[in-house]
Amino acid sequence: MTPPPPPSPTPTLSASVSLADRLKGRLIVSCQAPPGDPMRHTDTLVRMTLAARSGGAAAVRVNDPEVVAATVAAVDLPVIGLWKDGDSGVFITPTVRHALALVEAGAAVVAADATARPRPDGSTFAELVEAVHAAGAQVMADVSTLGEGRAAAAQGADLIGTTLSGYVPGSPVQSAPDLALVTDLAGALDTPVIAEGRIATPEQAARALAAGAHGVVVGTAITAPTALTRLFADALAPGPDRIRPGT
């Protein structure tokens, strides 16, 4: 029996293709794990990014300079890097120091909180953008409202993400993606809008593109086995809403 031919390598894009073109209509996979999760290990997270590449992701979004550097060394995809420091207020790449560490690690894009909240060192988002651009990388602004998106674009952000909608006071709390914000941002800005946050199904990802998103980030639904296992375990736990055979 003749063995099947080896799979064809994933085609790479030439350096002349802009990052925005690479992401247009494509999937970005967020390969992260929360503190204490068994998946929070650099080698494991890098393997997640390799799996995302094999599945057709156009880019990956990863947390922490160490993971960024390991991912850049292993995966030939644009890496969107962030650095979560803390668990309240502005903690996604909160300072210029955090941002430049990500550039030094090799991130093509630095993702940072661009909400209206004060940054812990008193700096501004505009200062972070200026520093990252001077270091040769781009910036993805994580926002929660249309006003924040407008402000981030005016301050030079290269991408605007809906990442923080629902997680910051003043933005709508909901279980589904904030597609209304995607539509509003896409209609108001020339800067590419990236839909991110609570996108749980391929259908929701497609609806995000239809709403005007330039690209779509999916995380938990693809790369979080602990959270996904908990969903199934909770559904099977005894309780008044448990569906029983024969009912």
Side-chain angles (χ1 to χ4, degrees), residues 14-119:
S14 69
S16 63
V17 178
S18 73
L19 178 63
D21 288 339
R22 292 177 183 227
L23 301 182
K24 185 172 177 58
R26 301 289 302 281
L27 173 68
I28 302 160
V29 177
S30 181
C31 300
Q32 301 182 52
D37 191 287
M39 303 294 286
R40 195 177 173 101
H41 182 277
T42 297
D43 183 63
T44 300
L45 294 169
V46 170
R47 289 178 182 275
M48 275 189 195
T49 67
L50 289 166
R53 177 192 182 280
S54 295
V60 291
R61 178 170 159 126
V62 299
N63 173 46
D64 189 89
E66 177 183 316
V67 182
V68 168
T71 301
V72 169
V75 184
D76 58 341
L77 290 177
V79 174
I80 301 172
L82 62 144
W83 187 353
K84 293 180 178 176
D85 191 358
D87 56 10
S88 62
V90 174
F91 66 88
I92 297 178
T93 319
T95 70
V96 171
R97 174 181 67 84
H98 291 82
L100 292 180
L102 293 166
V103 179
E104 179 68 23
V109 181
V110 171
D113 184 313
T115 64
R117 299 174 295 178
R119 308 183 79 81

Side-chain angles (χ1 to χ4, degrees), residues 110-147:
V110 171
D113 184 313
T115 64
R117 299 174 295 178
R119 308 183 79 81
D121 65 347
S123 65
T124 66
F125 179 71
E127 290 170 340
L128 183 148
V129 172
E130 182 180 9
V132 170
H133 283 173
Q138 297 186 25
V139 175
M140 177 174 173
D142 291 348
V143 306
S144 66
T145 65
L146 174 59

Side-chain angles (χ1 to χ4, degrees), residues 200 220-221 224-237:
T220 299
T226 302
L228 294 171
T229 300
R230 187 175 295 116
L231 286 175
F232 283 90
D234 289 349
L236 299 179

